[in-house]
Amino acid sequence: MVISLTLSRRLPSRWPGLLRCCSTNTESSARSAVLDNVLSTFRSICGEDNVSLGEAVREQHGKDESVHRCCPPDVVVFPRCVEEVSALAKVCHHHRFPIIPFGTGTGLEGGVGAVKGGVCFSLRNMDQVLDLHQEDFDVTVEPGVTRKALNAYLRDTGLWFPVDPGADASLCGMAATSASGTNAVRYGTMRENVINLEVVLADGTIIHTAGNGRRPRKTSAGYNLTNLFVGSEGTLGIITKTTLRLYGIPEAMVSAVCSFPSIQDAVDSTVQVLQAGVPIARIEFLDDVMIDACNRFSGLSYPVTPTLFLEFHGSEQSLEEQVNTTEDITHSNRGSDFQWARDAETRNQLWKARHDAWYAALALRPGCKAYATDVCVPMSRLPQIIVETKEDLIENRLTGPIAGHVGDGNFHCLMVVDPNNAEEMHRVHLFTERLARRALAMDGTCTGEHGVGLGKRALLCEEMGPMAIQVMQGLKDALDPYNVMNPGKILQPREL
């Protein structure tokens, strides 16, 4: 197949940042005609009960946790196996009917909206843990298996899967968005922890990105197809299985909280801890606004100053060394004495408070909505970008507590906004663009872990440049020539 490289052109300037969910009357009529033709085929493939035209079901599958408005699909199907996914995809490909994969709907950039209508493939019925190889530290799961469900399954094996984005997301969905979270500083992101993928392409072809059934810890064989699909957000194919790396549950874990007089002190401590070779498991930053919100929401009483939440994993002896080194570093940067969370219950309470930051931020303005935007920069630029971002928030009268995975330079602004206030929504939109461009100016990225989805397509063009976007578009055209796979996401629509 010849890959044609054609530059994706931007939307006209009169549409900056706006999502045009509504199709034209002509498009709607054409889709209705296709839908009438395919419904009976869908039902014959996956059963009458696994095809839904209900408004509530369609709306549930047309929105994630982002601020993008609901764009429901025309129909939702619930396949039970990869063969059904493949058969359904073949029908959609033949009729050029859009396909939107759906896991748990916990995304943050509008990735599940059916902006061109079509059929949502809800993969919740494919929920089996298929192959566990304890001695090889790997497992293969279907797309309906969530992070918490896998770790519950592994509970008695001495193994766990540590990638933790906070939400109980589906593991194949986490692969599709290249998710990470609080443990990434030690265990890596999904990109480092996916060994193999089973993917159904737009035309129904089933491929295995590292070879059928293969699960080596490393390979230098051919193109890295696995990483091509990790982070592809459903635009290149439907992930129906993922093989993941597992880890031994540490002998001991201990968490701590340390407060600092300034952002610079907190980030300097982080950099020095990593430079000292401390294999810290988690090191999370919360600014003064965020720690105040968490105190109120979770019943905590930490000082309202820039704060680090830390966690150490290892043997009892290695923990003592890690903690002593880290305490010396934080004290040299004017950090407070550690407040400890040693037992499992206290430790879980601490990290629940961190993961509840979204709800804590919402509680600052009851009745409002939250929008989480993230960027990632080299760690040396983290103090500057956080300080400039806080100044921007204050100057523009916006509520945006900051929390970050400072061990890898990634942080989030949890914007709390009144969706009925058009002027405030506009200010938030302009702020998020300034934040992303500030990160790009500091050699960073417009998204560290949330993905591109609908909201950051123009920013991706700025980040990657026209030639890289041409290559991406060429790959998309080669794998999905009719643009049926989650259309409108990642790459800008092309004018015909």
Side-chain angles (χ1 to χ4, degrees), residues 258 260 269 325-336 338:
C258 185
F260 294 85
S269 293
T325 301
T326 304
E327 278 191 309
D328 289 344
I329 290 170
T330 56
H331 285 156
S332 71
N333 288 292
R334 302 188 295 167
S336 67
F338 282 4

Side-chain angles (χ1 to χ4, degrees), residues 91-394:
V91 175
C92 293
H93 187 260
H94 176 74
H95 291 278
R96 305 190 184 186
F97 202 45
I99 297 169
I100 305 93
F102 189 95
T104 55
T106 54
L108 294 166
E109 290 295 344
V112 299
V115 297
K116 295 290 185 181
V119 54
C120 173
F121 283 40
S122 182
L123 302 168
R124 70 185 189 192
N125 288 341
M126 299 171 63
D127 60 356
Q128 297 300 302
V129 178
L130 297 172
D131 294 296
L132 170 63
H133 300 96
Q134 296 184 47
E135 65 282 5
D136 295 324
F137 294 85
D138 65 63
V139 67
T140 300
V141 300
E142 290 186 325
V145 179
T146 66
R147 174 182 62 85
K148 289 183 179 178
L150 175 61
N151 281 324
Y153 181 92
L154 296 171
R155 184 175 294 131
D156 296 328
T157 67
L159 301 174
W160 72 315
F161 184 70
V163 180
D164 179 6
D168 188 24
S170 73
L171 291 158
C172 288
M174 288 168 60
T177 56
S178 192
S180 53
T182 56
N183 283 315
V185 65
R186 170 125 179 212
Y187 299 100
T189 70
M190 287 300 288
R191 199 172 291 280
E192 289 80 46
N193 285 286
V194 174
I195 298 171
N196 199 351
L197 295 170
E198 179 184 80
V199 180
V200 176
L201 301 181
D203 64 359
T205 301
I206 302 170
I207 68 166
H208 298 85
T209 58
N212 192 359
R214 304 199 183 280
R215 46 191 179 85
R217 300 296 285 184
K218 64 179 183 179
T219 177
S220 60
Y223 299 131
N224 192 337
L225 295 181
T226 301
N227 270 354
L228 175 63
F229 285 92
V230 172
S232 62
E233 302 183 33
T235 62
L236 301 179
I238 306 161
I239 298 174
T240 51
K241 291 187 184 71
T242 179
T243 301
L244 302 167
R245 297 177 186 270
L246 300 176
Y247 297 80
I249 296 175
E251 175 188 326
M253 299 183 188
V254 64
S255 299
V257 177
C258 185
S259 304
F260 294 85
S262 73
I263 295 168
Q264 185 76 53
D265 291 321
V267 178
D268 283 348
S269 293
T270 302
V271 173
Q272 291 165 26
V273 165
L274 296 175
Q275 288 175 335
V278 177
I280 197 158
R282 304 198 235 198
I283 184 162
E284 295 287 296
F285 171 81
L286 290 82
D287 76 346
D288 53 337
V289 180
M290 189 75 260
I291 198 70
D292 185 40
C294 287
N295 280 344
R296 297 184 190 187
F297 185 79
S298 299
L300 305 174
S301 56
Y302 296 122
V304 182
T305 62
T307 300
L308 292 180
F309 284 12
L310 310 101
E311 186 162 278
F312 306 89
H313 295 174
S315 65
E316 294 287 356
Q317 181 178 353
S318 70
L319 279 195
E320 184 177 353
E321 294 174 359
Q322 292 180 46
V323 167
N324 289 341
T325 301
T326 304
E327 278 191 309
D328 289 344
I329 290 170
T330 56
H331 285 156
S332 71
N333 288 292
R334 302 188 295 167
S336 67
D337 290 337
F338 282 4
Q339 298 185 50
W340 294 103
R342 297 183 184 275
D343 62 275
E345 182 179 351
T346 310
R347 216 173 51 247
N348 290 339
Q349 181 184 12
L350 170 66
W351 291 109
K352 186 177 187 302
R354 166 62 184 90
H355 286 314
D356 283 347
W358 173 278
Y359 305 105
L362 273 175
L364 293 174
R365 293 181 64 187
C368 289
K369 299 287 186 181
Y371 168 53
T373 186
D374 85 309
V375 296
C376 188
V377 296
M379 280 197 297
S380 62
R381 309 302 295 272
L382 202 57
Q384 179 186 352
I385 193 171
I386 291 178
V387 168
E388 290 181 5
T389 299
K390 287 179 69 65
E391 291 172 351
D392 193 345
L393 288 165
I394 293 168

